[in-house]
Amino acid sequence: MLLNCGAHTLDLSSPVVMGVLNVTPDSFSDGGSFLDPEEAIRQARRMAGEGAAIIDVGGESTRPGAEPVEVSDELDRVLPVVRALTAELGVPVSVDTSKPEVMEAALAAGASMINDVLALQEPGAIGVMAGSQAAVCLMHMQGRPRSMQSDPRYDDVVRDVHQFLSERVRACETAGIDRSRIVVDPGFGFGKTLEHNLALLAALDDFARDGLPVLAGLSRKSLVGQLTGRPAGQRLAGSVALAAIAASHGASIIRAHDVAATVDAVRVAAAVRRWRSAEGSDE
Ligand code: 8Y7
């Protein structure tokens, strides 16, 4: 499977790792570490060296309880980093944003992908992407970050999330965004209980069957804490295990903070998955 990402084409015949680069003062796991553009660029270089196939730059925290950020603040945080990274790194740069103004500026600065936790539902966002050649990740969220974890409910979480993503894919195609540049993501932790997250993880292959690449973001999230009893700073092993499970269940892009360990985990999982499907014992 290939993903068209602006000037890049991403080979997803084996799953890849998207390295997380937060340039925010308040992200829960690494907030404030990479606010200085020089420091952010060093971290991105390190992640690319460790095997990240994409770097995801985010200037607006979407952690539970987070407050919205002004467009101008988000642009000030993100653009210098995007410019520097696209100029010097060989890997495609993704920008995590829901604002059409930020999307447009980020694409003009060289970003090859937009990672939108609102799945292009903000007015104008679909139009910006339709006018570009960049890839887009459409993520599912129930509610909004400020309140999404208060009491999430679904009739059938896998069916509901799948239906939402299918509708967003259709809206994108109608607007002129080709399937070859669309990624879908069930949005682990975004308006989901532990049980919802586990149901989605176990059903990732159902999402992958639609033929679009599936992205999974599990790294350091509270579900890792719920499963292991560990605080945010001690979730490496649990996160890496979940990355392997996601890749084993068909995820093509794993979004992670700890790139080197995640690359190894995904490679191991992909080899077993390939063997299983070659044996024909998948169904
Ligand atoms: C995800 C994400 C976050 C995710 C996609 C965190 C921006 C919270 N999580 N984007 N963003 N998928 N596509 O813990 O799961 O990194 S922010």
Side-chain angles (χ1 to χ4, degrees):
M1 194 179 343
L2 297 176
L3 179 68
N4 287 331
C5 292
H8 299 261
T9 303
L10 206 56
D11 178 4
L12 298 178
S13 52
S14 291
V16 300
V17 174
M18 166 188 267
V20 178
L21 188 64
N22 284 318
V23 289
T24 56
D26 62 345
S27 290
F28 82 95
S29 65
D30 56 4
S33 323
F34 309 119
L35 196 52
D36 167 22
E38 285 304 317
E39 196 48 51
I41 290 153
R42 266 195 293 280
Q43 172 66 0
R45 217 179 277 142
R46 193 176 311 134
M47 291 194 291
E50 290 176 354
I54 320 172
I55 304 290
D56 189 36
V57 181
E60 177 180 39
S61 177
T62 39
R63 70 181 161 77
E67 297 291 334
V69 174
E70 293 290 330
V71 169
S72 58
D73 290 338
E74 201 175 328
L75 288 174
D76 289 347
R77 291 174 190 173
V78 165
L79 291 185
V81 176
V82 172
R83 282 198 198 98
L85 293 186
T86 52
E88 97 155 55
L89 286 185
V91 304
V93 173
S94 162
V95 172
D96 155 22
T97 188
S98 297
K99 299 185 182 76
E101 301 91 335
V102 177
M103 293 176 187
E104 196 152 34
L107 295 170
S112 320
M113 178 168 178
I114 297 295
N115 173 26
D116 185 3
V117 298
L118 292 183
L120 304 182
Q121 292 178 100
E122 284 293 300
I126 282 207
V128 169
M129 293 312 297
S132 81
Q133 293 302 316
V136 62
C137 178
L138 304 172
M139 198 197 79
H140 174 273
M141 163 166 21
Q142 183 178 94
R144 288 296 175 264
R146 200 195 299 243
S147 59
M148 65 190 175
Q149 289 306 106
S150 66
D151 184 22
R153 282 165 194 266
Y154 298 86
D155 289 332
D156 173 333
V157 67
V158 172
R159 198 197 55 204
D160 292 1
V161 170
H162 191 266
Q163 189 176 333
F164 169 84
L165 291 173
S166 300
E167 283 166 12
R168 296 311 300 155
V169 169
R170 212 169 309 127
C172 285
E173 290 186 287
T174 303
I177 302 171
D178 194 76
R179 290 176 74 81
S180 62
R181 53 191 182 103
I182 301 177
V183 176
V184 294
D185 180 349
F188 292 102
F190 285 86
K192 280 121 189 155
T193 63
L194 177 59
E195 288 70 27
H196 295 144
N197 287 317
L198 292 174
L200 290 166
L201 183 59
L204 274 186
D205 267 311
D206 296 348
F207 293 88
R209 259 191 273 278
D210 292 339
L212 297 177
V214 174
L215 187 151
L218 296 147
S219 182
R220 301 184 185 173
K221 284 189 177 171
S222 70
L223 82 149
V224 184
Q226 290 169 297
L227 292 168
T228 60
R230 307 263 182 215
Q234 297 172 23
R235 295 180 183 164
L236 173 62
S239 299
V240 167
L242 287 174
I245 292 166
S248 177
H249 284 282
S252 290
I253 305 176
I254 307 293
R255 187 175 179 276
H257 301 82
D258 302 287
V259 170
T262 308
V263 165
D264 283 3
V266 162
R267 277 199 189 137
V268 168
V272 176
R273 179 177 168 85
R274 243 189 317 274
W275 188 268
R276 197 166 59 213
S277 60
E279 295 282 292
S281 55
D282 205 13
E283 296 301 315

